[in-house]
Amino acid sequence: MHIGISGSTPSDLAVKTIKTVLDDYGMDSVYVGNKSRKDVDCIIVTGGDKGVRNYFHKTQDPQIPILGVSESETSGFLAQVDLKEFSSYVNRIKKQDYETSEFTRLGVKIDGKPVSSVLNDVAVFPSKSAMLMEHILRVNREEVWHDSSDGIIISTPIGSSAYSMSAGGPMIFQDSPVFGIVSVNSLDITRRPLIVPDTSVVEIDDISARLYCEVILDGIDRFKIVNTLECTKSDPPARIIKMKKDSSAVSALTKKVRLAEDLLNMPPSSKLLLKTLEYEGILTQRELAAKTLLPDRTVRLALRHLLDKGYVKKKISIRDARQKIYEISN
């Protein structure tokens, strides 16, 4: 069996650790980065859920099954295995004793130009917050609404429990053949989220705001948009190896529901930090302040609240013992 390894660089500590473990078990492995390789049976991707999303943004061949590995002790939904326990799964990998789940992706065109497919969601927002955006939503070339709102989100089933849910969208079971559409803070109080078949062509056009608008892919990449966004089902789907049967879509959604109930009573700064850690993965306090644009004191207080509630845990960075890092707890 030939194993590929994908990470930030070949010299990354997690990549080197996985390579060493595979060597110890007599398994052939090679660093592949995000390049398409037909000679590997599966690819091990480091960086947790964020690393998995990044991988599918950049790879040209999503058909090869991938196993997501997190450097933290917190297993995600896409990356179930943490680095410390990786060696205990190697024999199962060697025997191909695992299940592979398929995740629908969204193909995206911005002003007619194809860009990366997304695993979670695609959103259109004005380039600055607190600014309304006008747009027309069309499904299969027919106009559904002409709206004025903070923005709009189109999500896959796996992405429905991320940004879309925070904006009031429904949670969709992973194997449902649909997409979710949410107009964020619409001026029309009757506006409700939509569920459309994943065979649909979803278009957002006549987009306008006082400043230019942006398309955000999985919370990672940003592109300026002039007028039209088109979304369709992207084939083939992402194939992800599942090693743990207890991390089902139902249990993941159950956890999201409980968290959503607690979120109602959280300060806005705590909510923002929690969402940032969900999207970005492990961060230092300084990195959290930079990404959220919150004052240092506000970040400290929000972290203390999240630590006290058990939503976030603090660790010493293995790369720099002087640094404390924060991550979402199990």
Side-chain angles (χ1 to χ4, degrees):
M1 190 177 188
H2 193 42
I3 307 292
I5 305 174
S6 177
S8 54
T9 65
S11 59
D12 182 74
L13 180 60
V15 171
K16 291 167 70 175
T17 300
I18 289 170
K19 172 79 173 162
T20 300
V21 172
L22 292 174
D23 288 346
D24 290 343
Y25 278 80
M27 297 184 68
D28 189 25
S29 64
V30 61
Y31 181 80
V32 298
N34 298 303
K35 295 180 180 177
S36 178
R37 293 285 295 258
K38 300 292 186 183
D39 59 335
V40 295
D41 298 290
C42 70
I43 296 174
I44 298 169
V45 178
T46 64
D49 282 4
K50 179 184 176 184
V52 173
R53 289 197 301 268
N54 282 336
Y55 172 81
F56 282 113
H57 266 278
K58 297 173 183 176
T59 184
Q60 300 301 312
D61 187 7
Q63 297 185 76
I64 299 173
I66 70 105
L67 174 65
V69 175
S70 174
E71 288 91 322
S72 72
E73 297 175 359
T74 305
S75 58
F77 187 68
L78 301 174
Q80 292 185 335
V81 177
D82 70 65
L83 189 59
K84 289 183 179 179
E85 64 179 355
F86 173 71
S87 60
S88 64
Y89 290 98
V90 175
N91 281 328
R92 286 182 57 188
I93 296 171
K94 195 172 186 177
K95 297 175 183 177
Q96 296 187 341
D97 176 21
Y98 50 72
E99 295 181 0
T100 301
S101 296
E102 293 189 344
F103 292 81
T104 301
R105 300 184 303 147
L106 267 170
V108 180
K109 290 183 180 179
I110 301 174
D111 294 323
K113 182 179 179 181
V115 293
S116 304
S117 296
V118 299
L119 201 56
N120 271 4
D121 51 46
V122 55
V124 187
F125 282 90
S127 56
K128 287 192 175 181
S129 60
M131 184 180 297
L132 287 173
M133 179 188 86
E134 289 192 27
H135 67 273
I136 294 176
L137 168 67
R138 303 182 198 274
V139 177
N140 296 327
R141 314 302 177 191
E142 293 189 15
E143 182 174 327
V144 177
W145 68 47
H146 187 162
D147 201 17
S148 184
S149 64
D150 285 351
I152 188 166
I153 304 167
I154 305 164
S155 72
T156 65
I158 188 65
S160 68
S161 59
Y163 193 4
S164 174
M165 189 190 77
S166 300
M171 292 180 288
I172 304 170
F173 277 46
Q174 175 194 324
D175 55 356
S176 302
V178 297
F179 294 133
I181 305 173
V182 180
S183 182
V184 182
N185 296 330
S186 171
L187 290 184
D188 183 347
I189 61 173
T190 67
R191 185 76 66 224
R192 293 295 181 266
L194 297 180
I195 300 294
V196 300
D198 64 9
T199 54
S200 304
V201 177
V202 179
E203 294 174 286
I204 314 297
D205 61 15
D206 288 347
I207 298 168
S208 64
R210 285 195 294 113
L211 295 177
Y212 69 90
C213 294
E214 293 180 322
V215 176
I216 303 100
L217 307 180
D218 274 349
I220 299 172
D221 298 324
R222 290 176 176 266
F223 297 91
K224 184 177 180 180
I225 185 169
V226 176
N227 189 64
T228 305
L229 173 77
E230 180 181 301
C231 297
T232 55
K233 183 178 180 179
S234 178
D235 288 318
R239 301 182 66 210
I240 298 178
I241 294 170
K242 293 291 184 179
M243 306 297 291
K244 299 178 181 179
K245 293 184 179 181
D246 59 344
S247 294
S248 66
V250 178
S251 64
L253 290 181
T254 301
K255 292 176 183 177
K256 285 284 186 178
V257 170
R258 291 171 182 165
L259 177 58
E261 293 172 348
D262 290 342
L263 279 172
L264 292 174
N265 299 316
M266 275 192 193
S269 56
S270 297
K271 295 178 186 178
L272 179 57
L273 259 63
L274 202 59
K275 183 57 63 177
T276 302
L277 288 170
E278 181 181 353
Y279 268 103
E280 300 291 340
I282 301 171
L283 295 172
T284 64
Q285 181 176 311
R286 180 176 296 179
E287 289 169 337
L288 279 167
K291 290 186 178 294
T292 61
L293 302 180
L294 293 173
D296 290 341
R297 183 175 181 275
T298 304
V299 171
R300 285 197 303 272
L301 293 173
L303 280 173
R304 186 182 303 166
H305 173 262
L306 293 171
L307 288 166
D308 290 343
K309 292 291 185 180
Y311 294 120
V312 168
K313 59 183 177 182
K314 178 171 61 175
K315 296 169 59 179
I316 301 296
S317 172
I318 59 175
R319 292 185 175 88
D320 184 352
R322 297 169 297 178
Q323 290 270 22
K324 293 182 178 63
I325 54 177
Y326 299 89
E327 62 182 358
I328 294 177
S329 304
N330 289 321

